Amino acid sequence: MNVYDVIVIGGGVVGTAVLRSLSAYHSKVLLLEKSSDVACGSSRANSGIVHAGYDAETGTKKAYFNVKGAAMYPSLTAELDVPYKKVGSLVAARKDGLPALTVLRDRGIANGVDVRIIERDEILALEPNIADDIVYALYAPEAGIVSPYQLTIAQADHAVVNGAEVRLEEKVIAIDKTQGGFVVRTEKGEYSARYVVNAAGAGGAEVNALVGEEAYVETHAVGDYFILDRKESGVVRTVVFPLPDERGKGILVAPTADGNVILGPTSRKVPHEQAEENAVTAAGLQYVREGVARLMKNVNVRSAIRVYAGTRTAIGSDFIIEESEKVEGFYMILGICSPGLTSAPAIGECVAEEIATKLTLAKKDSMLPLPASFRFREATPKEIALKAQEDPAFGRIVCRCEKVTEGEIVRAVHSPVPARTVDAVKRRVRAGMGRCQGGFCQPRVMEILSRELGIPMTSVRKGDAGSEIAPYEVKDGYETL
Amino acid sequence: MKHFDVVIIGGGPAGMAAAIGAREQGASVAILERDVRLGGILNQCIHNGFGLHYFGEELTGPEYAERFRKKVLSDSGIKVYLEAMVLSLTEDRVVTAVSPTEGLIELSAGSVVLAMGCRERSAGAIGLIGTRPAGIYTAGMAQRLSNVDGFLVGKEVVILGSGDIGLIMARRMTSEGAKVKLVMELMPFSSGLKRNIVQCLQDYDIPLRYSTTVTRVTGKERLTGVYVAPVDDKLQPILEKEEYISCDTLLLSVGLIPENDLIAGSAIEMSRITSGAVVDEYRQTSVPGIFSAGNVLHVHDLVDNVSEEAYVAGTAAAKYARGAIEDTPCMQVTTGTGVRYALPQRIHKGEGTVRLYFRVDKVYRGMTVTARSEGVLLKKKKTMVLAPGEMQYIEIDKSLVMGDVCVALEE
Ligand SMILES: Cc1cc2nc3c(=O)[nH]c(=O)nc-3n(C[C@H](O)[C@H](O)[C@H](O)COP(=O)(O)OP(=O)(O)OC[C@H]3O[C@@H](n4cnc5c(N)ncnc54)[C@H](O)[C@@H]3O)c2cc1C
Ligand SMILES: Cc1cc2nc3c(=O)[nH]c(=O)nc-3n(C[C@H](O)[C@H](O)[C@H](O)COP(=O)(O)OP(=O)(O)OC[C@H]3O[C@@H](n4cnc5c(N)ncnc54)[C@H](O)[C@@H]3O)c2cc1C
């Protein structure tokens, strides 16, 4: 049996942050993820906002990790080559909203966040399309936007480059406590470790139950979104929120780190059985439309290229980040709802440090960097000419909308955490994320996957098992041209 | 930087016909095509029905393309760049492309013909409600997978939209043993050709429901079914009448969008109705020396019209390149009752005839199409049935035109 120092369960932004931080120590660590890729849970479908940190009540874990995490983003995303921009955020309020804004501002200051209240003129200078009746706003210049799935993937890749292992399509179904550790069982294998970290998101309570820890009561709330065509990108510059209410931070309008515009999310409670379904509803989308209209003008929802939904999992009002008192060596990172994305890097660092101390793991002098990336979209003509000469595949564009080359896709398939599905390719290189939504490139991406993975076309999947895209062969002779 | 008299972007039927037109004028020509071969969308249309007007016989898409391809490839005056994706076009006509064999390609052009075709509207664009499993395809993607790659996407099929590609795929999938349970169309009429409704649906007993849409899709990894409902006169679904149909495949045939990304934000004037450029009878855009033809200009239902239109554009582009097009004053072509758009949108004063292509906004019976200038009737044409899915034309004599021309339907 394979023996590890630590096993992390769950390949979301939290689990991969822990894994990456652990790989900074001399250690043998493994991450088990039930889906066909990392970043398939909440970390795939969220707003992608690096919150400044004025929302959470002072003194909570949410406030602590939010502020600490946000501060790590500039250097972390630069190191991992993940799209991130510090664009600032506004909480927009009408005439009667000043008291509520003041509460937020004071909380921000208490949390150590750079915030101030600005008035109409200054708001207009930042957001020319703000609704006419918005007269005050809480401005937080430190807020940012990030590609959440790319961050999750990059953290996992970086961990693997530094010696960690990631096993996909391995759902943890049993955990036995042994002398000095655990045996973790999946449908495919058995792994033993001295420490286990439960970062299983919506599956967290179930994993807890496997070791006899508390099966917390989780609440799940779905958020619906629109993503608009790049051509709308000029409509908003900062992250614009309404005043928060009891349901959360409300419907926001923001640029995305990849250059689109995001509208949403709602907050619809769903039962646990639907926590991974992520179905969009018509009513949800309508609620988003109305929320956007109250906040900003000239937002052209009709130029949406995609609608989607993601699900938050909460337990009580704060994050749970602690080692089990009942089961020694079992660490829980649960109920990581918003601002979980922002907090994840700080949570990862903190948890890894605690575990390393317990296991007396020594820190490495330095970490190996990720291999340098090439993005055609961002390259200069000279760089393109050079790269295409080196390898013609970098001169062959597969995704016309996002300008992704075959070379980039092949690389994604052979990256440290390999892309094995069409969706996994899409999350890594954006092929199929543009305005035609894969209408043109999907068959070509499938061909590349089939060739590079040595699997038949009929086995190429969109995502998890059962999502084969073209499962049958044509029997009538077709014409190969 | 290499120079060509005429640089053509896109090597589908439009690009090839433009090249032939330009060559007949003696121009040096380059075609930039991003695919591995010329032919465009025709390469995946292995059904019959192409060329009835142009060649007077029924050909398959690849056969129709082959006739042009042969001509283009055997002409040493046409340089064909394959796998060459055009990335940018400047107003002074520098075209930049990239290909695996040539790397970065930069060409300067005496004139440019845009012939990039169109793309399909996606599930995201229509805001499909529900989950996002495998099993939802644009009809054209499913067509490419079956006809070029040889793979069938599913066995129990529902089709949203009655565009031609959807209709043709209904027949194709049926012949492959799949069960096509329903084709539905949001509007009270089809956007497809009448002959396709007969030959692809009626002949196979595939039901077509008008004024009906998909309200929701279900399934986590693979599509398990769709909810469908009739819509009211504001096109809103009547949810009380929602009905569930189990299926593993949903094909979308909900519209084609001219592929004009390359000129987005440029000075070229665009039509909000066609989503293509505004052109004169030579298919010249508002930027002199830049021409547009085929599906990138407006979506055609018959390739024959594409070839004809592009030939005109290619011919004129060659003339422009050698300075042989005079810039005479233009008259506007406008639309009246019942006509959604007419193209070209402007014509030059002068001699000869010109065809005004147009589409109607709904189904009409027994109407007369008229072209009038300053109220004076230039031409009229009696029709039996006019449908939005079938492009029509009316030919006028330019010398009769006094001012702006209006195309309209009259009782
Ligand atoms: C609509 C929405 C908007 C949000 N917006 C923001 C925002 O703007 N800013 C911000 O900071 N935060 C935001 N969040 C919160 C943020 O997305 C989450 O806090 C974060 O993604 C949680 O990460 P995670 O790793 O805990 O969970 P997940 O990403 O859900 O990862 C858990 C993983 O565990 C796997 N798993 C589960 N059970 C098992 C098992 N038994 N065996 C193996 N693997 C298992 C799952 O497949 C999954 O991949 C938002 C969340 C939502 C839903
Ligand atoms: C499924 C289907 C069925 C049809 N059935 C019939 C029928 O039965 N009978 C009939 O007469 N007509 C039919 N038609 C209509 C006819 O085929 C089309 O109208 C015609 O192919 C359009 O020609 P085109 O050259 O404008 O576009 P396309 O054929 O789409 O060609 C455009 C070309 O431009 C290339 N291109 C685009 N952008 C770039 C770029 N940036 N750089 C380089 N190259 C680029 C593309 O790769 C493509 O090869 C059908 C069409 C479809 C889609």
Side-chain angles (χ1 to χ4, degrees), chain A residues 12-56:
Chain A
V13 71
V14 172
T16 57
V18 174
L19 191 76
R20 173 178 176 271
S21 291
L22 282 169
S23 74
Y25 295 86
H26 293 282
S27 61
K28 196 162 155 39
V29 290
L30 167 69
L31 185 142
L32 296 169
E33 165 56 52
K34 69 173 180 188
S35 295
S36 51
D37 193 10
V38 294
C40 278
S42 297
S43 305
R44 163 170 60 178
N46 54 58
S47 309
I49 310 301
V50 178
H51 292 291
Y54 50 77
D55 282 294

Side-chain angles (χ1 to χ4, degrees), chain B residues 10 13-14 33-34 40-41 47 49-50 84 86 116 143 165 295 301 303:
Chain B
E33 166 55 50
R34 66 174 174 215
I41 202 74
H47 55 281
F50 298 82
V86 175
M116 292 93 78
Q143 185 181 47
I165 320 179
N295 278 354
D301 23 79
V303 69

Side-chain angles (χ1 to χ4, degrees), chain A residues 229 276-282 285 302 304-310 376 381-382 384-385 388 392-397 399-401 403 435-440 442-444 446-447 457-458 462-481, chain B residues 34-35 37 43-44 46 60 62-63 69 83 85-87 98-101 103-104 118-120 122-138 140-141 144-155 172 175-177 215-216 220-222 248 259 261:
Chain A
D229 194 297
E276 295 185 336
E277 197 175 77
N278 297 322
V280 171
T281 65
L285 292 181
R302 307 193 79 193
I305 57 168
R306 182 101 176 135
V307 296
Y308 70 89
F376 186 94
K382 221 173 160 182
I384 290 170
F394 286 96
R396 184 178 287 120
I397 294 193
C399 166
R400 60 176 174 197
C401 303
K403 304 215 166 59
R435 56 179 65 114
C436 93
Q437 291 285 301
F440 176 73
Q442 187 163 304
R444 290 159 175 88
M446 290 169 67
E447 283 159 22
M457 274 285 275
T458 47
K462 176 176 186 288
D464 289 350
S467 67
E468 286 74 13
I469 293 169
Y472 313 102
E473 279 180 32
V474 164
K475 54 180 167 34
D476 215 13
Y478 59 96
E479 235 168 298
T480 343
L481 299 150
Chain B
R34 66 174 174 215
D35 213 335
R37 61 188 157 246
N43 289 328
Q44 67 183 55
I46 60 174
T60 65
E63 283 166 356
R69 192 158 37 209
E83 290 192 274
M85 173 75 90
V86 175
L87 302 169
V98 64
S99 94
T101 45
L104 215 59
C118 58
R119 64 162 182 271
E120 298 177 280
S122 69
I126 60 167
L128 208 58
I129 301 298
T131 51
R132 287 166 303 290
I136 303 172
Y137 316 82
T138 58
M141 188 200 298
R144 146 123 195 177
L145 281 166
S146 70
N147 295 356
V148 177
D149 299 318
F151 301 97
L152 196 66
V153 292
K155 294 277 190 189
R172 176 78 173 117
S175 75
E176 278 298 321
T215 51
R216 201 150 38 107
K220 189 165 184 304
E221 309 313 335
R222 179 81 196 190
D248 64 9
E259 182 86 270
D261 293 0

Side-chain angles (χ1 to χ4, degrees), chain A residues 10 12 14 33 42-43 46 49 172 200 225 312 336-337 339-342:
Chain A
V14 172
E33 165 56 52
S42 297
S43 305
N46 54 58
I49 310 301
V172 173
Y225 290 97
R312 323 153 174 91
I336 309 297
C337 50
L341 171 64
T342 313

Side-chain angles (χ1 to χ4, degrees), chain A residues 97-108:
Chain A
L98 193 57
L101 273 193
T102 311
V103 171
L104 274 187
R105 181 199 55 195
D106 294 347
R107 197 191 294 155

